[in-house]
Amino acid sequence: MRCTLCGGPQVHKSKGYGVISGRSRNRQRVAMGQGPHQCRRVAAQRARRVLRCAGLMALGLWPIMAQAAQPDVAEHQHPHPHAHGRHNAGAHTAHHAGPPAAVEARSSTSVQVNAHRYDYMFQPAQHEPDATTHLTAELLRNRDITTLRGLEHVAPNLTMQSINGTASTNFYLRGSGFNDFTQNNMPTVLTYVDDVAYPYAAMTDGMMFDLASASVTPGPVGTEHGQSTTGGEVHLRTADPTDTWHFGASQDIASYARSRSEAYVSGPLAKGLDFRLAGQTRQGGGWQRDPENGDHLGDADLWALRGKLRWRPDDKTTIQLGGHFVQDNSEVVTPQAVHRIIGSTPLPDYGMGTDAQWSSNSTFDKLIGRRDGLKPSEHNQYWGADVHIVHDFGPVTFTSVSAFETERRGEYTDQDGTARQEADTYRTIDGNVFTQEARLNGSALGGRLNWVVGGYYQRSQMNQRFFFNYTDYAARGYMMSTSFGQNQQSVSEFGHVSYRLPHNVTIWAGLLHELDDRSITGLTSQIFGGATHNFHAESTASNQFAGQVGVSWQFVPNAMLYYKMSKGFKPGGFTANNTQVQAQLDPFHPETVLTYELGFKSDPIPNRLRINGAAFYNDYHNQQVVGTVLIPDYGPLSEITNAPKSESWGFEATLEANPISRLHIMQNIGWQRGDFQNFPNVDRTATNAYYAKHGTWNAIERNFAGVDNGSPKLTLNGEAMWRQPLGKGYRLDFGPDWQYRGSQAIVVGGTGYQRLPSYFLLGAHVTFRPPSGKWEATLYARNILDKRYAESGGMATTTYFYVPGEPRFIGGRVSCGF
């Protein structure tokens, strides 16, 4: 029999948990009522909703809640409570059996009366046993997060840094990560965009627009989808097509003539066929200048388009085609030299301000095929296409994700941070990646048993060429190039199963097997006007397992505990830049880690207070680390190597609170420590000191056992928001935000100038919202105290350098959506 109120089947008195008869895309678990018919509760809930909505209208908040229900809001994009936004709607995962039925019934009908659009979102994720940080699109906009690097401002224990001021990015999550300047190796933290894995993070340049949500998941991961990683993953979810017409645009103008523009249109083309087209442009914003000649550096010049076409031939099948194109000709931030390793030429002292020096050599410009007077800049082009297929067979759901991504890059950097040509570099990359994932998800036993099995394949091809200008470095005095090709493919099979026991206890286990094979070919090192060296090919293969076991306990409806043990692994690879001897091409070994994690999630006062936290311990074997190799009669060079034994430990926590109705506070805290237990390597500092004293190169070896891993020990970020009604439905939202990052070493065992100083940044914004919710206007300030700080750093041939962070930016943004 069907209920006349809700149209669903009548559910009669019973005990325990059950599943509504009949089948929908997501099988909805409900708690069996004690009355004769479950819809009595539904009717009462609807009545409460009507009263609450009336209250919201009276407060002038209804437009805000109405906008929160639009299709581009994160929770609407991911109605299923699993997978941290990684899978399409309708796809079950086996990560967890979900919240107990009674809990799910309560959470699914709660209305956040005093909540803003991104307050206490992702409620189903509160019942997932992980330490994932979930981020809404509005939070990212308010915090001015427009690139991957900005995510460190809104997640704990996360450091994301530019490589030499460029669009290339390095990740450090819970202290796991390394500096891969050549970007030809799999990163420790993998980036996904709409379920598509990007094995080279630079391919995501220009992709952070028209977002629905983002998430950061500490590793190890990989037993439910994609590839195994030791550090974790970052997932970006872009807005999907809608079956009703929507369009919108935004314009952001700020200091230093910076301009950002975005627009989208979405709607139906025919019955069951919807589309979405979105684009962005970025211009200006360059804040560095050369005090010697007044030249200007750092202007953005980027545009990007993304399109999606979704076809629903029936109520069980979804096929979505996607594509994107990015052109980035932006200038980059140039480093500032902070210490001279070799030579006696004085260094400029600009104190991490807006002054900087860079150089250009007409002979070098001609050699690389670029115009005279080239500034440090990008000349990059990315494009890709993907196909998502989801079909609900009833007992199981099938998901297929196919993607092809390309990159064509030309990148010029002045790494020595001076007007001399001592370490000027230009590199070109021509690469492509094909990935294919297929998985089956299912559940049984009334939703108590959940499982997923699948496979993943990846193939990549890459050609790189590095040009180096050493003409002002007396020990070399020449220009040279290194070129190579790299082929890689991997295949993995994974499975994950979870089972909910009585008393709201859930156990789960997962297993992944991955085979990775990669080779480096045709490596040539050429000194122009001198010798050319050809090196023979090298290859490396890994064949390993990863896995996870855990238990969680939902001991009260609004709080849970979990414990898990995870093993992750990451393939080996090659250090390929500036190769001088064959031994530099010896591959480094795969990295493995065994992680123990204990965590909790709680909403002790629903819609008023949320506290989540986790503690972890990582036991690494062959951790991949940037070390040092000494080339006789040449000097020390960086290379990726393995630390046989290392460890890290720490915790992170997130607090959201509404101490009073109009004030919302959010605070992330991350703390971690780690050290090497066994790591023999060249001591670069001692080796450089020996050269300075004796004039000859001699490798000083050292075991770095007991030395700190160099990652920031403490990271903090958060915001406070005051929401002031102005009458007739208008409202003003305003408040500060902040970020702190502790000191970070840029070389193993680094001290003094070999460490990036800690820093604290303060920002603020005020947003005016009309009752219609169709537009809003924002004024904001970033680094409002105009703090001078180093965002990242490194070493070049003759200097250590810091990459300065942005100065104060004051701007405004107007956006509308219909």
Side-chain angles (χ1 to χ4, degrees):
M1 296 179 63
R2 294 280 171 177
C3 171
T4 59
L5 178 62
C6 68
Q10 293 186 358
V11 183
H12 297 282
K13 180 178 181 180
S14 179
K15 295 182 178 180
Y17 305 128
V19 178
I20 296 178
S21 62
R23 186 172 294 136
S24 62
R25 177 159 303 209
N26 289 314
R27 295 184 175 185
Q28 183 184 6
R29 294 185 297 276
V30 299
M32 295 295 191
Q34 296 301 312
H37 181 34
Q38 176 67 18
C39 284
R40 291 180 181 174
R41 180 177 298 174
V42 175
Q45 291 167 346
R46 287 191 174 183
R48 287 194 295 269
R49 286 178 179 172
V50 170
L51 292 175
R52 287 169 175 168
C53 290
L56 288 171
M57 290 179 179
L59 291 172
L61 298 182
W62 176 250
I64 302 301
M65 297 303 294
Q67 183 169 340
Q70 291 297 320
D72 61 344
V73 173
E75 280 196 304
H76 183 88
Q77 290 285 340
H78 317 293
H80 196 268
H82 306 306
H84 327 305
R86 288 192 293 259
H87 304 299
N88 293 329
H92 292 272
T93 75
H95 182 65
H96 190 271
V103 174
E104 188 172 26
R106 295 181 191 181
S107 63
S108 65
T109 58
S110 65
V111 177
Q112 299 171 5
V113 178
N114 63 345
H116 187 47
R117 271 173 277 184
Y118 59 80
D119 298 350
Y120 307 104
M121 295 287 286
F122 308 101
Q123 186 63 35
Q126 284 296 100
H127 307 286
E128 291 295 313
D130 56 38
T132 299
T133 300
H134 296 276
L135 307 162
T136 66
E138 185 175 1
L139 175 61
L140 297 174
R141 284 195 301 271
N142 284 347
R143 298 294 296 276
D144 199 30
I145 311 301
T146 58
T147 66
L148 277 177
R149 297 196 303 272
L151 291 175
E152 71 171 7
H153 295 260
V154 289
N157 272 330
L158 175 65
T159 300
M160 304 181 77
Q161 295 173 319
S162 163
I163 300 176
N164 300 336
T166 68
S168 301
T169 304
N170 284 323
F171 299 75
Y172 302 87
L173 183 55
R174 289 181 172 177
S176 180
F178 67 96
N179 181 9
D180 184 15
F181 170 66
T182 52
Q183 295 281 283
N184 66 308
N185 299 294
M186 181 177 170
T188 306
V189 180
L190 196 59
T191 303
Y192 288 79
V193 180
D194 292 332
D195 293 341
V196 176
Y198 285 69
Y200 309 113
M203 286 183 166
T204 63
D205 179 26
M207 296 283 282
M208 285 192 66
F209 67 99
D210 196 37
L211 293 182
S213 65
S215 62
V216 179
T217 302
V221 295
T223 62
E224 298 170 83
H225 70 287
Q227 286 190 280
S228 172
T229 66
T230 53
E233 67 185 28
V234 171
H235 196 108
L236 307 179
R237 174 72 62 180
T238 65
D240 283 334
T242 55
D243 55 12
T244 57
W245 284 100
H246 295 275
F247 56 92
S250 68
Q251 177 63 53
D252 187 314
I253 298 175
S255 307
Y256 302 97
R258 188 182 72 185
S259 173
R260 298 172 180 162
S261 305
E262 295 186 22
Y264 74 90
V265 59
S266 178
L269 296 175
K271 184 177 180 180
L273 185 65
D274 309 315
F275 86 103
R276 190 179 188 98
L277 182 65
Q280 72 155 335
T281 65
R282 299 181 191 171
Q283 302 293 324
W287 46 269
Q288 286 189 303
R289 64 179 293 275
D290 188 335
E292 301 297 324
N293 55 26
D295 205 1
H296 179 81
L297 181 66
D299 281 339
D301 182 9
L302 177 148
W303 64 272
L305 287 174
R306 178 165 52 238
K308 292 184 177 183
L309 185 65
R310 183 179 63 194
W311 179 38
R312 291 171 171 168
D314 54 57
D315 62 354
K316 295 184 178 181
T317 306
T318 299
I319 301 174
Q320 182 165 287
L321 306 178
H324 64 271
F325 184 92
V326 178
Q327 182 69 49
D328 187 1
N329 298 321
S330 303
E331 297 168 359
V332 303
V333 177
T334 200
Q336 295 180 353
V338 296
H339 180 78
R340 180 167 288 285
I341 305 172
I342 299 172
S344 58
T345 304
L347 296 176
D349 183 9
Y350 295 136
M352 293 299 103
T354 58
D355 289 341
Q357 287 187 357
W358 60 93
S359 57
S360 178
N361 181 298
S362 59
T363 304
F364 189 66
D365 295 343
K366 183 178 180 180
L367 176 67
I368 63 179
R370 300 296 298 274
R371 71 181 189 276
D372 286 347
L374 179 66
K375 294 181 180 181
S377 59
E378 309 277 5
H379 185 59
N380 305 336
Q381 188 178 99
Y382 311 90
W383 64 270
D386 54 78
V387 181
H388 292 66
I389 301 174
V390 179
H391 182 76
D392 184 0
F393 287 98
V396 298
T397 298
F398 170 76
T399 301
S400 171
V401 182
S402 309
F404 181 78
E405 304 292 335
T406 68
E407 63 174 338
R408 306 289 185 267
R409 304 179 63 189
E411 187 176 80
Y412 174 55
T413 55
D414 189 333
Q415 296 176 40
D416 56 85
T418 72
R420 297 168 58 83
Q421 284 84 49
E422 295 180 334
D424 296 1
T425 304
Y426 184 77
R427 68 169 172 175
T428 62
I429 302 177
D430 186 349
N432 61 73
V433 178
F434 171 77
T435 59
Q436 173 63 57
E437 180 173 355
R439 59 180 180 265
L440 290 172
N441 309 356
S443 63
L445 303 178
R448 290 182 178 275
L449 176 68
N450 288 268
W451 56 269
V452 58
V453 295
Y456 180 85
Y457 173 77
Q458 173 189 296
R459 177 197 57 78
S460 69
Q461 295 176 320
M462 174 182 291
N463 290 287
Q464 290 198 31
R465 191 174 187 185
F466 284 81
F467 296 86
F468 301 94
N469 187 353
Y470 298 125
T471 53
D472 287 338
Y473 175 30
R476 298 176 191 172
Y478 51 72
M479 300 179 189
M480 65 168 292
S481 72
T482 297
S483 59
F484 67 90
Q486 180 171 293
N487 298 313
Q488 175 270 339
Q489 64 177 348
S490 63
V491 61
S492 61
E493 314 86 39
F494 55 85
H496 203 108
V497 62
S498 68
Y499 184 73
R500 189 171 67 238
L501 299 168
H503 308 294
N504 298 333
V505 174
T506 298
I507 56 175
W508 72 89
L511 184 66
L512 173 140
H513 169 257
E514 184 171 313
L515 173 64
D516 183 273
D517 188 3
R518 58 188 67 206
S519 61
I520 190 166
T521 61
L523 196 144
T524 299
S525 182
Q526 177 185 5
I527 296 176
F528 295 101
T532 297
H533 300 282
N534 297 309
F535 301 91
H536 62 74
E538 294 281 358
S539 62
T540 181
S542 56
N543 184 359
Q544 296 203 28
F545 288 87
Q548 185 180 106
V549 295
V551 58
S552 65
W553 178 31
Q554 190 81 43
F555 57 94
V556 294
N558 294 320
M560 69 171 298
L561 289 170
Y562 70 88
Y563 173 75
K564 62 181 178 181
M565 295 182 294
S566 308
K567 181 196 174 185
F569 99 98
K570 183 170 100 62
F574 306 95
T575 308
N577 66 305
N578 200 357
T579 303
Q580 300 298 312
V581 296
Q582 183 68 43
Q584 287 181 264
L585 289 182
D586 291 344
F588 53 87
H589 301 299
E591 170 184 289
T592 63
V593 63
L594 185 61
T595 297
Y596 307 85
E597 182 175 319
L598 176 65
F600 69 93
K601 292 185 174 180
S602 66
D603 289 303
I605 308 176
N607 299 320
R608 284 286 187 181
L609 180 63
R610 172 175 291 178
I611 306 175
N612 296 340
F616 61 89
Y617 174 80
N618 295 320
D619 183 12
Y620 287 98
H621 292 268
N622 284 325
Q623 184 177 11
Q624 295 167 4
V625 181
V626 176
T628 300
V629 60
L630 180 69
I631 309 301
D633 301 322
Y634 191 87
L637 291 173
S638 297
E639 71 167 3
I640 303 173
T641 185
N642 296 97
K645 191 74 170 65
S646 57
E647 62 182 349
S648 65
W649 62 94
F651 69 88
E652 62 240 2
T654 298
L655 168 71
E656 292 187 64
N658 281 118
I660 56 178
S661 61
R662 296 178 184 175
L663 178 63
H664 179 80
I665 298 173
M666 181 168 60
Q667 177 66 58
N668 290 319
I669 179 172
W671 182 86
Q672 74 88 30
R673 294 292 302 270
D675 56 46
F676 300 105
Q677 297 166 294
N678 180 24
F679 182 28
N681 198 237
V682 173
D683 188 327
R684 183 178 289 235
T685 302
T687 300
N688 286 332
Y690 184 93
Y691 178 83
K693 183 176 180 179
H694 301 283
T696 58
W697 289 113
N698 180 39
I700 308 299
E701 300 283 346
R702 174 187 175 187
N703 194 320
F704 288 87
V707 173
D708 186 271
N709 65 11
S711 295
K713 295 178 176 59
L714 178 65
T715 58
L716 301 169
N717 55 73
E719 68 171 8
M721 182 81 71
W722 182 270
R723 289 144 193 167
Q724 180 62 48
L726 300 178
K728 297 184 179 180
Y730 292 92
R731 200 178 79 221
L732 207 62
D733 296 349
F734 57 92
D737 57 76
W738 52 86
Q739 181 200 6
Y740 172 83
R741 190 180 77 192
S743 176
Q744 176 185 356
I746 56 179
V747 296
V748 175
T751 59
Y753 55 82
Q754 298 170 333
R755 298 188 69 91
L756 300 177
S758 60
Y759 64 82
F760 174 81
L761 301 179
L762 182 66
H765 84 277
V766 54
T767 299
F768 178 76
R769 304 182 189 276
S772 67
K774 294 181 178 180
W775 65 272
E776 64 182 35
T778 299
L779 295 175
Y780 63 87
R782 300 290 173 248
N783 190 9
I784 198 170
L785 302 178
D786 203 20
K787 176 74 174 180
R788 308 296 176 90
Y789 67 102
E791 184 266 329
S792 62
M795 69 197 94
T797 306
T798 58
T799 64
Y800 281 91
F801 62 82
Y802 293 164
V803 177
E806 290 183 344
R808 179 193 297 120
F809 267 81
I810 298 175
R813 180 178 58 251
V814 177
S815 59
C816 62
F818 301 89

